[in-house]
């Protein structure tokens, strides 16, 4: 497993306030990593530190195995692209001229693939239209195009769908998936649109009070969140025997709790149990969302 980004007890303090506290994060190459946290949890601070815009108070981080204290860290950062908070767009310029300015900024003099980059983000037909006349979704896609100048293979997006209408959200989602699958770009996304994030992320990091409280793959998360029937029983062995005989997917949680997985009809399930004299003390069904999972994890209330 190759890590694009790894942090080790990263800390960032502002006087007496700890924005980041003993933060450890591991982002695998090729992943879409969803960074989830309430406002003020430390998402943007982490991104600014990783991008070299701020220095950590203590701890270290490595990008492609190169530690932040190394002299070669600036060379490794050339493999990164980022949008932090808002895209860096010159609104009086066209999309193409915005890209030319970014090429100049990074010291590139060959503009041959600008048209290809504009096509990639769906802005190839904007012509002489100035960015100030773009929709919010078009501006966001232009910002992503600017972050892709120099062909980075690690892209950081801070709230990329914030404020977009449904069509704009779909366009950004499809673009992110395309960049990941076709261009093989590893992507870190900070977002509080959890339902949308659940459609694209392969890995998650849950951030609270400046620290990562859990890292989990989408497969592991789906298993925890999947549709399940929770039974409270006094005779676990009898229920387990029935589930084994009928090839029902289950998990014994403790001495009197069993989770049954799959899209089972609750009424039919209870009826089937009663036919073999299996009566649960309590039985209910759950189908958890990513947002519910996160809120249960941090033990707090919703705060967008």
């Amino acid at each position: 497993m190759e890590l694009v980004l790894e942090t080790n007890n990263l800390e960032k303090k502002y006087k007496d306030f700890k924005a980041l506290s003993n933060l450890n994060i591991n982002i695998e190459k090729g992943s879409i990593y969803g960074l989830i946290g309430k406002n003020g949890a430390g998402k943007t601070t982490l991104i600014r530190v990783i991008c070299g815009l701020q220095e950590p108070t203590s701890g270290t981080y490595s990008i492609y195995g190169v530690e932040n204290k190394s002299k070669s860290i600036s060379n490794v950062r050339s493999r990164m692209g980022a949008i932090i908070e808002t895209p860096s767009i010159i609104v009086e310029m066209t999309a193409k001229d915005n890209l030319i300015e970014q090429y100049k900024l990074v010291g590139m003099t060959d503009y041959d693939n600008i048209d290809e980059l504009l096509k990639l983000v769906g802005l190839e037909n904007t012509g002489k239209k100035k960015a100030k006349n773009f929709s919010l979704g078009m501006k966001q896609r232009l910002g992503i195009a600017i972050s892709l100048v120099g062909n980075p293979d690690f892209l950081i997006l801070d709230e990329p769908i914030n404020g977009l209408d449904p069509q704009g959200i779909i366009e950004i989602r499809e673009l992110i998936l395309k960049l990941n699958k076709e261009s093989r770009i590893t992507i870190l996304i900070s977002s509080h649109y959890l339902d949308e994030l659940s459609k694209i992320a392969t890995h998650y990091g849950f951030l609270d009070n400046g620290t990562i409280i859990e890292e989990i793959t989408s497969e592991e998360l789906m298993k925890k969140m999947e549709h399940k029937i929770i039974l409270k029983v006094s005779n676990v062995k009898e229920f387990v025997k029935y589930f084994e005989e009928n090839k029902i997917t289950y998990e014994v949680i403790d001495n009197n709790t069993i989770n049954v997985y799959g899209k089972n009809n609750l009424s039919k399930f209870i009826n089937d149990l009663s036919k073999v004299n299996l009566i649960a003390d309590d039985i209910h069904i759950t189908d958890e969302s990513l947002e519910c999972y996160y809120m249960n994890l941090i033990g707090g209330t919703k705060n967008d």
Side-chain angles (χ1 to χ4, degrees), residues 104 166 182:
K104 291 177 181 176
E182 297 181 14

Side-chain angles (χ1 to χ4, degrees), residues 1-7 25-31 50 60-68 70 72-81 150-156 179-180 183-188:
M1 176 182 69
E2 182 180 354
L3 294 178
V4 172
L5 174 68
E6 180 180 14
T7 71
I25 193 171
N26 302 276
I27 299 180
E28 294 183 25
K29 184 178 180 181
S31 65
I50 293 167
T60 60
Y61 63 90
S62 298
I63 303 170
Y64 286 105
V66 178
E67 194 172 291
N68 61 296
S70 169
S72 58
I73 190 66
S74 58
N75 293 331
V76 176
R77 280 209 183 92
S78 66
R79 298 176 63 177
M80 296 172 58
N151 297 315
D153 51 12
F154 180 31
L155 186 61
I156 299 175
L179 293 173
N180 178 252
S183 302
R184 301 188 182 281
I185 296 176
T186 303
I187 302 173
L188 167 62

Side-chain angles (χ1 to χ4, degrees), residues 98 181 248 292:
N98 264 278
K181 300 299 182 185
I248 295 171
C292 288

Side-chain angles (χ1 to χ4, degrees), residues 24-150:
N24 295 290
I25 193 171
N26 302 276
I27 299 180
E28 294 183 25
K29 184 178 180 181
S31 65
I32 299 177
Y33 189 104
L35 183 64
I36 297 173
K38 296 184 292 186
N39 285 344
K43 301 189 300 294
T44 299
T45 299
L46 173 61
I47 289 171
R48 291 181 67 84
V49 168
I50 293 167
C51 291
L53 300 176
Q54 294 181 352
E55 287 295 320
T57 305
S58 63
T60 60
Y61 63 90
S62 298
I63 303 170
Y64 286 105
V66 178
E67 194 172 291
N68 61 296
K69 296 178 181 179
S70 169
K71 292 181 179 179
S72 58
I73 190 66
S74 58
N75 293 331
V76 176
R77 280 209 183 92
S78 66
R79 298 176 63 177
M80 296 172 58
I83 297 179
I84 304 175
E85 297 177 305
T86 56
S88 300
I89 293 171
I90 304 171
V91 295
E92 293 296 332
M93 287 186 173
T94 66
K96 186 170 185 176
D97 287 341
N98 264 278
L99 288 177
I100 289 173
E101 286 301 308
Q102 183 64 17
Y103 271 63
K104 291 177 181 176
L105 189 63
V106 299
M108 296 176 65
T109 56
D110 185 353
Y111 308 148
D112 285 350
N113 68 339
I114 282 184
D115 290 338
E116 182 181 335
L117 197 50
L118 287 171
K119 185 176 182 180
L120 177 64
V121 299
L123 296 175
E124 69 272 26
N125 296 318
T126 54
K128 295 183 178 180
K129 186 176 183 178
K130 293 182 179 180
K132 67 180 180 181
N133 298 317
F134 285 6
S135 68
L136 190 57
M138 291 170 69
K139 289 177 181 176
Q140 199 70 355
R141 283 184 279 133
L142 176 55
I144 292 175
I146 291 171
S147 71
L148 292 172
V149 169

Side-chain angles (χ1 to χ4, degrees), residues 192-210:
H192 61 259
Y193 288 86
L194 304 192
D195 180 60
E196 185 61 31
L197 194 58
S198 68
K199 297 173 183 176
I200 58 175
T202 62
H203 296 70
Y204 298 91
F206 296 98
L207 184 64
D208 190 41
N209 293 322

